Amino acid sequence: MKPIFNIGPSLESRLFVAVICAVSLLIADGLYQFSKPMRVTLNSLVYPIKFIASLPGEFLEESSDLFVTQADLLAEREILISEIMQLREKSQRFEILEEENAQLRSLMDAPLAPEFQKTIAELLAVDNSPYSQQVLINKGALDGVFLSQPVLDDQGIVGQISDIAPTDSRVLLITDIAHAIPVRILRNNVSLIANGSGNTNRLNIKYVAHSADVEIGDLLVSSGLGEVFPAGYPVGIVSDIVRDESKPFAQVNATPLARLDRIRYLLLLDTQAALSDQAQRLDSQ
Amino acid sequence: MINRIHIHLSLLVCTILEIIPMPISFGTYRPDWLLMGLVFWNMFHPQNMNIGIAFLYGLVLDVLLGYTLGMHALAFSLVMYVASIHHLRFKNYSIWQQSGIVGLYTAFHNMVLFWSQHWLNDAFFHLNYFWPIATTMFLWPWCFWLLNRVRRERLRH
């Protein structure tokens, strides 16, 4: 039976309590990051929901894998073989260059660029709203993922790890409005900061002086400042520049090189291990 | 008591629909499933379905989507308050009028989300914010029909 009169506290007092709770949570979490240590626990609590949500996608993928014809597989194999041949040829030249570079760097007494351990992760889910651009990947704390670990695809930098659960983790894309990455122009080493725009195909470059030497088509690579992303990985290409003298800075936009709208496999760079290796080597010297 | 089980099961389905993987270009059109579920059950069971429950589901959604805790909780509690005040009138509206009102609720929900994002992260306004309103309005009649069947099925037993 439905009671005719509402039982319990009035609507207004309920709303009051809820709003006070929500706003204090927002302040505590948004401004002071109080939930950061508990996020792994919170994430493992809601893991069942996430797991059920990932089932239909996995099922579709598996069934589409079942119905691939032999001809398709052979064609794909052909493409992959030719790609491997081209890459091997490139890596032959690359090895010589790397050695030469190391020799030159040691002549100049500059530290060697460390080699990173890489882990391959697969995409689980995408959360793409203008408010937040994140993807979920299938590697988590158990696979040695750590906070702010750099994430790449085969073209360039994708983002960094923002949230870790035991078996999966969340990647904040470089185009998220809350994300910024220090970059430099490959052509002339001008340092800039690329902010996310909330749009998967655009980065906003902030605080560019009108006189700065920036041209359309310039390649932006990570500068290694900020110590999250290692130096020298491609980030984007400058796509348009508006030099409006009435504004304090020039408006510069860039297109990310990583294909953020069609992510499938991602590379996680183990910068922590490489850095501790380097520190040990410096200690022993 | 039995009422609550199917309410929460259907809300769980709504939560799953909110996070189910979709191609990245469809992400901006994702309707607010959970909001539709909450408004529907509030209309028929206002005594079981109140601001507190909306708050809790908002919190779960915040954790699932990796938002700052409290963002969806705040938006859902405010929408739930407005919906609870008007639930008797809302029940008597035709389905098309209802879908208009649900559109307004979604707009309000998105506006609260945008404000809190703007305040915390300096988000700036984007026309894409309007898409969920359109898709939610479009899907409300179907959602209503489906949830109403769940409700009737339950009442018969």
Side-chain angles (χ1 to χ4, degrees), chain B residues 30-135:
Chain B
R30 191 191 290 267
D32 288 321
W33 295 105
L34 199 48
L35 186 109
M36 286 195 269
L38 288 170
V39 168
F40 179 86
W41 289 118
N42 175 255
M43 167 165 57
F44 289 107
H45 300 284
Q47 70 282 11
N48 288 344
M49 196 55 245
N50 51 41
I51 295 171
I53 305 237
F55 181 87
L56 287 180
Y57 272 96
L59 217 53
V60 170
L61 201 57
D62 280 330
V63 175
L64 280 172
L65 295 176
Y67 277 54
T68 309
L69 287 188
M71 214 168 258
H72 280 97
L74 177 68
F76 278 142
S77 342
L78 286 171
V79 170
M80 214 51 194
Y81 172 69
V82 180
S84 310
I85 293 178
H86 299 295
H87 78 272
L88 281 178
R89 212 174 312 162
F90 188 77
K91 211 163 152 180
N92 291 322
Y93 282 156
S94 75
I95 195 84
W96 304 111
Q97 274 172 310
Q98 279 185 358
S99 113
I101 304 283
V102 166
L104 284 179
Y105 287 160
T106 319
F108 181 46
H109 170 78
N110 276 305
M111 195 170 67
V112 176
L113 278 184
F114 170 70
W115 277 343
S116 40
Q117 280 276 4
H118 182 73
W119 175 56
L120 287 170
N121 294 336
D122 286 336
F124 45 87
F125 196 74
H126 212 284
L127 278 181
N128 281 348
Y129 294 139
F130 289 114
W131 279 114
I133 304 174
T135 47

Side-chain angles (χ1 to χ4, degrees), chain A residues 6 24 77 94 145 154-155 162 204 241:
Chain A
N6 275 337
S24 45
R77 181 169 166 270
F94 179 74
V145 174
D154 54 340
Q155 307 282 320
S162 64
N204 299 331
I241 305 170

Side-chain angles (χ1 to χ4, degrees), chain A residues 204-275:
Chain A
N204 299 331
I205 318 243
K206 293 216 169 148
Y207 316 119
V208 184
H210 288 295
S211 58
D213 180 13
V214 184
E215 281 168 19
I216 290 178
D218 275 346
L219 179 63
L220 302 172
V221 297
S222 56
S223 66
L225 303 173
E227 292 177 352
V228 170
F229 297 99
Y233 283 98
V235 176
I237 286 179
V238 175
S239 57
D240 61 283
I241 305 170
V242 182
R243 287 200 164 91
D244 181 357
E245 296 283 343
S246 64
K247 301 233 173 85
F249 294 104
Q251 277 181 300
V252 181
N253 291 328
T255 318
L257 276 170
R259 285 166 301 180
L260 299 177
D261 53 344
R262 52 196 73 178
I263 298 169
R264 180 87 197 274
Y265 296 102
L266 292 167
L267 275 178
L268 300 170
L269 292 188
D270 196 352
T271 46
Q272 253 179 7
L275 282 178

Side-chain angles (χ1 to χ4, degrees), chain B residues 134-147:
Chain B
T135 47
T136 310
M137 277 174 75
F138 177 72
L139 283 173
W140 169 257
W142 283 269
C143 194
F144 179 89
W145 177 78
L146 209 69
L147 285 172

